[in-house]
Amino acid sequence: PLRTMSYVKVATCNLNQWAMDFEGNLERIKASIAEAKAADCTFRTGPELEITGYGCEDSFLEPDTFAHAWESLGQILASDLTDGILCDIGMPVLHRNVSYNCRVILLDRKVLGVRPKICLANDGNYREMRFFTPWYINPALAGLGEMQEYYLPRVIREITGQVKVPIGIFAIAAADTALGFESCEELFTPLAPHIALSLDGVEIIANGSGSHHQLRKLQTRIDLVRGATDKAGGVYLYANQKGCDGGRLYFDGCAMVWVNGALVAQGSQFDGLDEVEVVVATVSLSDVRAKRANFSSRSFQAASSPSIARIEIDFHLTHRSQLAIAPSLPFQPKLHTPMEEIALGPSGWLWDYLRRSGQRGYFLPLSGGADSSSTATLVAIMCKRVVHELSHGPERSRERVLQDVRNITKRPEYTPTDARDLCSKLFVTCYMASEYSGPETRDRAALLAAEIGAVHTSISIDKIRAAFCQTFEEVEVHSGGVCRAQIRTHPTMKTKPSDYGEVTQNLALQNIQARSRMVMAYFMAQLMPWATDGDATTAGGSLLVLGSANVDEAQRGYYTKYDCSAADLNPIGGINKRDLKSFLEWAGEEHGIGVLRRVAAAQPSAELTGAEGAQLDEEDMGMSYAELNDLGHCRKVERCGPFSTFLKLRVRWNDGRTLTPSIRAKGAAAPRTFDEQVAQKVKDFYFYHAINRHKMTTLTPSYHAENYSPDDNRFDLRPFLQNARFERQFKAIDEAVAKAAAIVPMGGDSGGNLAPIGADTRPGSCGPQDGHPRG
């Protein structure tokens, strides 16, 4: 009877890899294999491109990267790490002068085969087809294609004595089971490889992934992995990177093992700062066989499914003593709330960036508003997580984190007593006041800094602004036929500008305030460690400047180019205002930072023409943050132009709400009916997005958290010189408004039945009505 109990111990992992850090990446891979072996596992899988790090980008175009990857693999093969354990390693491979994203399978100091990726991620943040080529499978042939021969590089031949190995889509045929492979994006495709593999009798499938965090995205990933084993049965291992590997993305781990649609092991998504997290499970192949054999429709399809190539090995994956172990029990997946995601993802990103940058800490212009307070809170949470790791993390992690702390602070004997103590050593904030700053924001900034332990400072930028104005007054004219006496050199600020000239003066005087703050921020970031170190250290160094502009304001272009939004990093640049305010309320309660409730309750204000309350962001923008959220979601996520955006929002907003008055269509030109108001709102949004698109080319590198980010670097690629008139598009909107009015006059009643326009205006037809991403 014991022969029917086919238990296998398997291991997957989260690894905090760093692009092009070959030595560090190798050590983390080695540690994960060693831990898997120590747990008596017979199979280990790891993240996508784990040897090089996923985010090498154009370094994948360099032959050196491939050569160094093989050198790293050679070091694994030259050791005893692969003795008695089947290992699945992610790395780039050059075959017949074509670059592939591959899994390389090892056992007993030999290479068994190379499995290239079939479907490459090539949208959103991903550009895999810039670096790699999908493995070609002839659609006229059954199965997953034929195998080819891969000639191993000399560094591997000298270690293993092998000359060539198979390359292609295959399964490993062990003495007691069959094991196959998938790679990240392939899981997301309609005809995922695991379907053909499972129908051909493959019982264990491993997926090495490089999947980034995005708010509310994990549920989609879980549903896909669950579905991979629920209908067809089987064991599915998911591995991922965890951390910042050098770019805007934060890989959020959550390595998992599923059996027949049930979760039996799950790693952390964010928790902990250990660079290596091995997730072990004992799975029952008997359960897989029973489920499959008793599903008659599945059996009917499997009986006629094409065969997948096999690489046979004389190796048993099942455990030697079936009575000594028991299958891992299923449980429900752990999911963080969106507020926890905001707290843990960006704070982990900040820690990885800081410790790997070699800088002394962070500097933040802290205004006392929601955005900069959110950024400060994330730094405080980062410090809390570091201190917690020092006392509660694994020994390996405690040692490394303490060394990181000492390297950052330049204090070789320093051990933080608590999070506030650590914050005081690596975080400086500054309230940069002007004559328009109010006492409420100044007070909130000081209270927040005191509560979290930051070194808080304050300056006045009025003299800087006055110096710029004085310099402008002394401008000389040397050509162009302009008389010096004719030049206006005394701009003044008007509370309510009424003409073009007054608006021009106001904007210039507001912008010089904002840009002065940026210049001072970098000046202070370089000097503050020197100014405050005292006798504790003489090692020098400078601080990284943090920005704090949210994704909605970036969409609208509601910020000054090269102001305090211009920084080294922006941890909230991919988060919308609604989520940030909820985060502040949550963090105030969860982390005991009382002043955050006051911050969240305040109305957003730039304080460039008046104190908080006298100048309000939503009035200045002519649209609310909630409206911006919906408009941005339509533009990017639902891929709508102006006309389609209007069609969707006239339905989505037809719930009795009051829309923010336009700042472009006023008085007699102001829209009256509901359709006219929606039309004007859409026109305003696309107009301002177009004229401000140039600003997005200079957006500070931000943590990617929303799938409607306007990040011009990689995620939202559009020209930065656009025709803001949108003649054809706006004409289509006007014609639709007129057509609807002729059928059912709206009369400004936003709660009535909408007249049909002739296009698909079903609510949520291309996305959720509440404007939130779901995957």
Side-chain angles (χ1 to χ4, degrees):
L2 294 181
R3 292 172 185 168
T4 65
M5 299 166 57
S6 301
Y7 297 158
V8 179
K9 248 193 168 182
V10 295
T12 180
C13 59
N14 298 325
L15 298 184
N16 192 339
Q17 304 297 71
W18 187 11
M20 302 300 288
D21 178 22
F22 288 99
E23 292 301 323
N25 293 344
L26 177 60
E27 290 308 309
R28 288 181 281 272
I29 293 170
K30 285 181 174 180
S32 70
I33 298 173
E35 287 191 26
K37 288 185 68 174
D40 209 17
C41 295
T42 53
F43 174 65
R44 175 268 184 202
T45 188
E48 185 173 14
L49 297 168
E50 57 188 308
I51 282 186
T52 57
Y54 181 84
C56 298
E57 299 185 325
D58 278 5
S59 292
F60 284 128
L61 304 178
E62 302 165 0
D64 283 6
T65 303
F66 293 78
H68 295 318
W70 281 112
E71 290 168 357
S72 293
L73 195 76
Q75 291 189 44
I76 295 173
L77 289 166
S79 71
D80 63 357
L81 282 170
T82 63
D83 291 353
I85 184 170
L86 187 67
C87 292
D88 168 26
I89 309 288
M91 61 178 282
V93 172
L94 194 67
H95 173 57
R96 298 179 180 176
N97 298 330
V98 180
S99 300
Y100 294 104
N101 178 346
C102 293
R103 312 299 302 177
V104 180
I105 316 305
L106 314 178
L107 175 66
D108 293 336
R109 312 189 193 197
K110 301 288 185 181
V111 178
L112 300 183
V114 179
R115 197 283 197 188
K117 192 172 181 179
I118 306 169
C119 303
L120 300 182
N122 208 55
D123 55 5
N125 287 293
Y126 296 103
R127 297 288 181 273
E128 287 186 18
M129 290 186 71
R130 178 181 174 95
F131 322 121
F132 302 112
T133 299
W135 182 256
Y136 176 72
I137 297 175
N138 188 342
L141 301 178
L144 295 176
E146 299 176 342
M147 303 288 283
Q148 298 177 13
E149 293 181 333
Y150 179 77
Y151 287 85
L152 293 166
R154 178 182 297 178
V155 65
I156 303 300
R157 294 185 194 185
E158 292 175 350
I159 295 170
T160 68
Q162 298 170 280
V163 175
K164 58 186 178 181
V165 296
I167 182 171
I169 311 305
F170 56 81
I172 296 293
D176 48 6
T177 187
L179 187 146
F181 310 93
E182 227 171 31
S183 190
C184 198
E185 178 77 1
E186 294 169 355
L187 170 66
F188 291 76
T189 60
L191 192 60
H194 69 256
I195 299 171
L197 290 168
S198 63
L199 288 174
D200 193 36
V202 173
E203 296 175 330
I204 302 173
I205 298 174
N207 185 323
S209 185
S211 187
H212 70 280
H213 172 242
Q214 186 172 288
L215 288 174
R216 306 171 178 89
K217 175 187 174 184
L218 180 58
Q219 183 65 62
T220 299
R221 196 186 303 158
I222 286 174
D223 290 343
L224 287 167
V225 179
R226 177 193 285 117
T229 62
D230 192 17
K231 285 198 300 183
V235 177
Y236 200 101
L237 283 74
Y238 177 88
N240 197 13
Q241 287 194 192
K242 178 185 172 184
C244 167
D245 79 338
R248 292 163 170 80
L249 304 183
Y250 186 84
F251 298 91
D252 60 337
C254 201
M256 300 177 282
V257 181
W258 291 75
V259 181
N260 294 346
L263 178 68
V264 297
Q266 180 181 7
S268 66
Q269 185 181 10
F270 305 107
D271 300 334
L273 298 176
D274 195 357
E275 293 185 327
V276 178
E277 181 182 5
V278 177
V279 178
V280 174
T282 301
V283 299
S284 172
L285 299 183
S286 299
D287 289 347
V288 173
R289 293 161 186 166
K291 179 180 176 69
R292 289 180 173 179
N294 285 278
F295 185 4
S296 58
S297 295
R298 182 261 170 203
S299 296
F300 179 77
Q301 292 182 346
S304 59
S305 68
S307 296
I308 310 299
R310 296 291 204 272
I311 295 176
E312 296 184 358
I313 58 173
D314 183 16
F315 180 72
H316 290 78
L317 269 77
T318 50
H319 202 273
R320 292 177 297 276
S321 177
Q322 297 287 292
L323 290 177
I325 58 175
S328 302
L329 297 177
F331 58 91
Q332 291 300 310
K334 177 184 177 181
L335 289 167
H336 288 286
T337 67
M339 297 306 103
E340 291 171 336
E341 290 185 77
I342 293 174
L344 296 172
S347 64
W349 186 69
L350 286 172
W351 175 245
D352 278 345
Y353 197 99
L354 177 59
R355 68 190 180 89
R356 287 171 168 169
S357 71
Q359 300 304 300
R360 288 291 304 275
Y362 288 118
F363 179 91
L364 173 69
L366 181 59
S367 70
D371 292 342
S372 63
S373 295
S374 296
T375 297
T377 301
L378 289 171
V379 176
I381 292 172
M382 178 195 80
C383 292
K384 283 190 173 185
R385 294 181 65 188
V386 169
V387 171
H388 182 271
E389 190 75 11
L390 289 174
S391 58
H392 293 83
E395 182 179 356
R396 172 186 59 219
S397 182
R398 292 199 304 269
E399 292 176 357
R400 182 190 52 76
V401 170
L402 182 59
Q403 189 58 53
D404 286 338
V405 168
R406 290 172 173 174
N407 290 341
I408 292 166
T409 61
K410 308 299 183 187
R411 292 168 167 83
E413 305 298 325
Y414 172 64
T415 301
T417 57
D418 57 24
R420 295 182 74 257
D421 176 45
L422 178 60
C423 198
S424 72
K425 302 295 190 297
L426 55 74
F427 191 33
V428 177
T429 59
C430 182
Y431 185 80
M432 298 183 171
S434 76
E435 62 177 289
Y436 301 107
S437 302
E440 171 63 16
T441 53
R442 180 189 290 270
D443 186 48
R444 292 200 304 258
L447 283 173
L448 175 56
E451 287 195 49
I452 66 177
V455 174
H456 187 58
T457 62
S458 65
I459 61 168
S460 171
I461 63 168
D462 289 335
K463 291 181 180 179
I464 303 173
R465 185 194 59 182
F468 275 106
C469 291
Q470 177 66 35
T471 301
F472 183 69
E473 290 176 10
E474 298 170 359
V475 64
E476 297 289 341
V477 180
H478 302 288
S479 63
V482 178
C483 176
R484 174 64 177 82
Q486 296 174 333
I487 296 180
R488 304 185 186 96
T489 59
H490 297 279
T492 58
M493 185 82 77
K494 302 290 184 181
T495 304
K496 298 291 183 181
S498 58
D499 59 35
Y500 171 78
E502 291 181 352
V503 169
T504 298
Q505 294 175 71
N506 266 29
L507 286 176
L509 291 172
Q510 289 183 66
N511 286 340
I512 198 59
Q513 292 179 65
R515 292 188 176 115
S516 297
R517 290 184 170 116
M518 183 274 290
V519 174
M520 278 303 300
Y522 274 96
F523 186 68
M524 294 183 71
Q526 288 187 302
L527 288 179
M528 286 305 293
W530 165 79
T532 60
D533 274 348
D535 296 331
T537 177
T538 57
S542 62
L543 306 175
L544 293 163
V545 178
L546 292 178
S548 51
N550 64 70
V551 69
D552 294 324
E553 290 168 351
Q555 291 273 3
R556 167 62 169 72
Y558 183 67
Y559 60 96
T560 299
K561 197 174 187 179
Y562 302 118
D563 67 350
C564 281
S565 66
D568 295 311
L569 293 174
N570 182 358
I572 68 164
I575 306 173
N576 67 57
K577 194 76 164 189
R578 180 169 58 187
D579 280 345
L580 284 175
K581 295 197 76 170
S582 297
F583 166 69
L584 288 170
E585 294 167 352
W586 173 88
E589 184 70 27
E590 188 72 17
H591 291 275
I593 308 175
V595 70
L596 294 183
R597 286 185 286 274
R598 282 172 56 186
V599 176
Q603 291 183 288
S605 171
E607 289 195 324
L608 293 172
T609 62
E612 187 176 77
Q615 182 186 15
L616 299 176
D617 288 353
E618 292 184 335
E619 289 182 2
D620 282 357
M621 292 190 295
M623 53 191 71
S624 69
Y625 284 104
E627 291 163 356
L628 273 172
N629 185 290
D630 288 342
L631 288 158
H633 194 274
C634 283
R635 184 194 70 89
K636 177 62 178 175
V637 181
E638 302 182 42
R639 298 169 181 85
C640 295
F643 180 62
S644 295
T645 298
F646 165 72
L647 293 180
K648 287 181 179 293
L649 294 184
R650 73 185 291 265
V651 176
R652 198 167 298 169
W653 287 350
N654 187 38
D655 55 7
R657 72 179 70 189
T658 299
L659 299 182
T660 310
S662 170
I663 60 173
R664 296 178 63 229
K666 303 178 181 179
R672 292 170 297 165
T673 70
F674 174 72
D675 270 344
E676 289 174 350
Q677 291 170 13
V678 175
Q680 188 61 51
K681 188 67 59 184
V682 170
K683 292 177 184 179
D684 289 351
F685 172 75
Y686 279 93
F687 169 80
Y688 283 114
H689 181 82
I691 67 171
N692 289 307
R693 185 70 203 190
H694 66 97
K695 296 181 182 179
M696 293 160 212
T697 65
T698 64
L699 278 176
T700 294
S702 300
Y703 181 98
H704 180 86
E706 291 281 10
N707 60 352
Y708 65 95
S709 165
D711 171 25
D712 189 77
N713 176 270
R714 67 167 64 235
F715 188 70
D716 187 42
L717 306 181
R718 300 170 193 261
F720 53 85
L721 175 61
Q722 298 186 13
N723 182 354
R725 293 186 294 275
F726 293 100
E727 291 99 333
R728 181 69 60 83
Q729 299 93 323
F730 290 176
K731 180 182 178 182
I733 294 175
D734 292 339
E735 290 173 349
V737 171
K739 181 178 179 180
I743 300 172
V744 180
M746 295 294 294
D749 180 8
S750 62
N753 293 324
L754 288 172
I757 289 178
D760 181 8
T761 59
R762 292 170 295 169
S765 59
C766 287
Q769 292 189 61
D770 63 3
H772 279 291
R774 290 288 186 263

